[in-house]
Amino acid sequence: METLKNLAHNYYYLVAVVLFVIGMHTMLTHSNLIKKVIAMNIMDTSVFLLFVAIGYIRGGQAPIMRDIGDGFYINPLPGALILTGIVVGVSVTAYALSLVVKIYRYYGTVDADEIVEIRSREQ
Amino acid sequence: MTLQHHFPALIIVIFLICAFIMPLLFRWRSTLCAPALLLVHLLALAMAVALLVRLYAGGPFYYHLGNWAPPWGIELKIDFLRVYMVLILVGLGLWIFVYALKDLAHELKREVTGWYYALYALLIGSMSGMALTNDMFNLFVFMEICGIASCAIISIKESRECLEASFKYLILSAMGTGCYLMAIAMIYMVTGQLNFQLIREALPAAAGLYPNNLLVATALIIVAFGTKAALFPLHVWLPDAHASAPSPSSAVLSGLVIKIYAFSLFNILFFVFPASFRQAVPINEIVLWLATLGILFGSIFAMVQEDLKKMLAYSSIAQIGYVFMGIGLNQPTALLGGFYHILNHALMKGMLFMVAGVIIQATGRRRVKDLNGIGHVLPLVMIAFTVGGFSMIGIPGTGGLISKWYLAEGALLANRLFFVIVIVLSSLLNAVYYLPIIINAFLNPYEGREPVKPVSRLMVGAITAGMIAVIFFGVYPKPVIVFLKAALAAVIGM
């Protein structure tokens, strides 16, 4: 019961981990190269979600300097970190997709299994 | 604030600026590119030496980027081990770049040379950043830069093998950095800090409250750096990536890139996790056993390879195992051996990949069994290969022996006789695949009618310099050993 309560309280934690595992599993096992890239993004996004979620406090104010009386600010640092993380993720995705385009030009397919088949036929 | 005060940041920044302007400079005056990058390397080397002088005068110090002190700002830490890494990175980066100057003309289209220089500067700069940073998230950013740059200097060749290998590398490296980012999230959640030192101070309290978070973070960190540094079961990307890349890329990837991830793992294990935490969770044991498997299986896989560069790549998996073994044994002498091996292996594997590049360029051969009698047509280069091979095996007079010696001594001092046997056995395994090449190269006649193409003197010069360095560090290791001993005494004595 205690575990369930904890889970219900920290549901974002669970969601992030589930997304992380989905992304990682697809990335490592799926043969379609585009899907690998998408899975990579899902995996990155799950971490971003978790990071932003842990910085948030229910009822907290946006971290802008002004008089907020008895209220409190939420932590701005995770947001700032994740902005950097998103930029990094975008550049990796762009590079990965450009590689997929080049591979497609050589083989006419984006499926890793078919590429292996084509290569074995050539030898 | 004098300029000298900013040297730690400048080492990284000049490489990044150089990477940024290199493609533009290439369009404008393509002949200026190579001298500019050489100059940047020399400047960085001079700055690293200046840091070393300052270290000797006043001990370890910190540099705050933008003058923001932690916990708000990013902090760089300068101590002996980190400067040792920077000196290796920049010094050997310069050496491999000198070789690349002539080699690239044969492997790449002329238009992309400027891009290659940019990626090279990015790679060396980001690795120097990883060596110096004292901040978890900053380390992540440099890891991603390093990851993209190291994939890109493989795929820049644009052959089918290179594209596939670098895609595989990119996906696994993205998995590694994803895991690392998750680990940062887990640690940040419970400590609220990103600075190594501040996390270290906050961890004991957090470990009592949220032990599961920290266990998961530890596992993720080992997976992340294990993937990046090709620790045994996570090495699958390495052989293709290192074998298909242009030779200078192979040299820098095998020689420097995997080492810097091993060094970062060491930094996190020893400077972020308190010693009590390392005793409670058997991190060192896990690393140690994976390293042992890597040492044995890397060599066994290398034996059955037909392609010379692939064999060298598998041998790298075995050799990075020694570095991890030093970390895993958690004993000053073994660590000393591991750190000395970082230098030695960077030198000898860089040199061996250069030799492979020269052989491919001169004769077009890259299969191991086609190398019969190659010593008669490329004598100096094959003598260098012999020295490199001997150093891998650990024959006296070469650097390889010294690092293995200290590793074995460390294992004995830690009462782990088994690992001494592993080291001896792996030397034997190394001999099984290096010696036949050397023997066949010199004792069999050279077959083949096609003439051997002339090779640039600069490339042979770089290889000779490497050979001399391997012998030098094998015959006269004392200065480096004394330096590392003093540096490690500070770490272990913490």
Side-chain angles (χ1 to χ4, degrees):
Chain A
M1 207 56 212
E2 193 63 21
T3 323
L4 275 179
K5 223 180 202 172
N6 270 343
L7 272 183
H9 194 64
N10 296 319
Y11 61 95
Y12 59 86
Y13 204 135
L14 186 72
V15 172
V17 169
V18 168
L19 277 178
F20 188 82
V21 173
I22 290 176
M24 197 167 181
H25 182 257
T26 313
M27 190 161 90
L28 296 180
T29 57
H30 216 283
S31 67
N32 189 316
L33 301 184
I34 302 267
K35 287 193 182 167
K36 273 181 194 281
V37 178
I38 295 172
M40 188 172 90
N41 276 288
I42 293 176
M43 191 174 133
D44 279 351
T45 311
S46 76
V47 188
F48 300 161
L49 285 176
L50 180 67
F51 234 119
V52 174
I54 58 178
Y56 182 71
I57 306 167
R58 199 158 294 179
Q61 304 268 336
I64 303 165
M65 281 295 271
R66 66 198 147 95
D67 188 25
I68 53 165
D70 287 341
F72 43 83
Y73 295 119
I74 62 166
N75 185 356
L77 188 70
L81 295 180
I82 287 325
L83 268 182
T84 317
I86 290 172
V87 172
V88 170
V90 166
S91 43
V92 175
T93 311
Y95 175 56
L97 286 175
S98 74
L99 280 180
V100 175
V101 170
K102 293 258 178 196
I103 291 174
Y104 182 76
R105 279 195 198 144
Y106 275 116
Y107 293 101
T109 173
V110 290
D111 192 289
D113 293 342
E114 281 178 38
I115 290 174
V116 172
E117 211 173 284
I118 291 171
R119 290 187 69 165
S120 64
R121 227 181 296 148
E122 279 169 359
Q123 276 165 4
Chain B
M1 292 276 182
T2 51
L3 183 67
Q4 204 178 357
H5 181 79
H6 297 291
F7 276 177
L10 278 176
I11 289 181
I12 306 163
V13 168
I14 54 169
F15 277 111
L16 298 185
I17 293 176
C18 176
F20 185 70
I21 60 170
M22 205 44 89
L24 298 172
L25 190 66
F26 190 74
R27 289 242 162 138
W28 182 53
R29 293 277 152 81
S30 59
T31 46
L32 282 181
C33 281
L37 192 49
L38 278 177
L39 183 70
V40 167
H41 272 96
L42 288 173
L43 275 177
L45 204 57
M47 284 194 270
V49 172
L51 287 184
L52 194 63
V53 172
R54 201 175 145 194
L55 269 177
Y56 272 118
F61 57 98
Y62 297 89
Y63 176 84
H64 299 151
L65 284 176
N67 222 1
W68 286 98
W72 300 284
I74 295 167
E75 186 180 61
L76 303 180
K77 183 181 175 191
I78 296 91
D79 63 14
F80 283 102
L81 282 178
R82 290 167 185 238
V83 171
Y84 171 73
M85 283 309 288
V86 172
L87 281 171
I88 290 180
L89 290 173
V90 180
L92 298 191
L94 176 68
W95 170 55
I96 296 169
F97 182 68
V98 169
Y99 171 85
L101 284 177
K102 292 290 172 191
D103 184 83
L104 286 181
H106 298 270
E107 303 214 37
L108 296 180
K109 284 181 249 153
R110 212 191 148 276
E111 311 91 82
V112 297
T113 323
W115 293 108
Y116 190 89
Y117 292 164
L119 291 170
Y120 196 85
L122 209 55
L123 193 60
I124 303 286
S126 62
M127 284 195 289
S128 312
M130 283 169 68
L132 290 178
T133 188
N134 205 28
D135 183 281
M136 293 290 258
F137 196 77
N138 193 229
L139 180 61
F140 164 78
V141 174
F142 279 128
M143 267 168 79
E144 282 283 19
I145 299 175
C146 182
I148 295 183
S150 44
C151 289
I153 61 168
I154 302 168
S155 68
I156 196 164
K157 203 169 154 191
E158 296 206 3
S159 71
R160 291 197 308 197
E161 294 79 22
C162 289
L163 289 173
E164 276 176 57
S166 68
F167 188 80
K168 196 167 162 189
Y169 185 12
L170 186 69
I171 288 292
L172 282 167
S173 126
M175 187 198 86
T177 41
C179 287
Y180 179 58
L181 194 59
M182 196 67 158
I184 299 178
M186 297 284 176
I187 291 178
Y188 183 74
M189 237 162 151
V190 296
T191 61
Q193 303 290 355
L194 291 168
N195 185 284
F196 282 9
Q197 187 56 38
L198 295 177
I199 293 177
R200 189 185 173 83
E201 283 158 16
L203 265 188
L209 285 172
Y210 309 101
N212 290 342
N213 261 40
L214 292 177
L215 281 180
V216 173
T218 315
L220 286 170
I221 282 175
I222 292 184
V223 171
F225 287 100
T227 318
K228 291 279 201 170
L231 190 60
F232 171 64
L234 306 162
H235 66 276
V236 285
W237 55 270
L238 185 140
D240 288 342
H242 288 193
S244 61
S247 296
S249 307
S250 309
V252 72
L253 289 172
S254 246
L256 302 176
V257 174
I258 53 175
K259 308 292 170 5
I260 192 68
Y261 289 116
F263 179 70
S264 299
L265 180 67
F266 162 81
N267 260 341
I268 291 183
L269 288 188
F270 282 76
F271 289 94
V272 177
F273 294 135
S276 57
F277 189 70
R278 264 186 291 130
Q279 277 153 11
V281 185
I283 314 172
N284 287 76
E285 285 295 302
I286 296 170
V287 172
L288 183 59
W289 283 100
L290 292 182
T292 308
L293 288 175
I295 289 173
L296 298 176
F297 281 98
S299 292
I300 290 168
F301 287 140
M303 273 177 219
V304 296
Q305 298 305 316
E306 290 186 338
D307 183 290
L308 177 64
K309 281 180 82 173
K310 223 166 208 168
M311 187 200 91
L312 294 176
Y314 272 107
S315 151
S316 279
I317 297 169
Q319 301 287 324
I320 194 74
Y322 289 118
V323 179
F324 278 116
M325 191 184 242
I327 297 171
L329 277 170
N330 194 14
Q331 204 279 336
T333 315
L335 262 179
L336 174 74
F339 270 94
Y340 198 51
H341 202 64
I342 289 181
L343 169 67
N344 272 328
H345 181 247
L347 268 172
M348 58 202 186
K349 191 48 68 64
M351 182 178 77
L352 288 175
F353 269 117
M354 288 176 182
V355 169
V358 167
I359 292 175
I360 292 168
Q361 192 185 320
T363 64
R365 300 172 182 203
R366 58 183 296 168
R367 290 161 70 85
V368 171
K369 63 179 174 197
D370 290 344
L371 297 179
N372 284 349
I374 203 110
H376 300 295
V377 286
L378 295 166
L380 188 58
V381 172
M382 278 318 284
I383 289 172
F385 188 93
T386 312
V387 171
F390 281 2
S391 186
M392 291 283 176
I393 301 164
I395 287 176
T398 54
L401 173 79
I402 312 291
S403 38
K404 283 186 192 185
W405 186 277
Y406 278 100
L407 269 174
E409 196 188 325
L412 278 181
L413 287 175
N415 269 329
R416 310 293 291 266
L417 188 64
F418 175 76
F419 296 99
V420 182
I421 300 172
V422 169
I423 292 169
V424 174
L425 188 64
S426 90
S427 291
L428 198 69
L429 290 174
N430 281 332
V432 169
Y433 59 90
Y434 278 110
L435 283 182
I437 299 179
I438 296 166
I439 293 168
N440 286 336
F442 284 105
L443 298 184
N444 281 349
Y446 180 70
E447 298 150 355
R449 290 187 201 89
E450 75 274 27
V452 175
K453 294 191 202 95
V455 179
S456 149
R457 281 209 203 109
L458 197 61
M459 286 161 71
V460 179
I463 290 173
T464 318
M467 177 171 77
I468 293 168
V470 169
I471 296 174
F472 175 81
F473 286 116
V475 176
Y476 191 57
K478 202 177 161 199
V480 185
I481 295 287
V482 169
F483 174 85
L484 280 176
K485 253 188 193 150
L488 285 168
V491 175
I492 297 291
M494 281 186 319

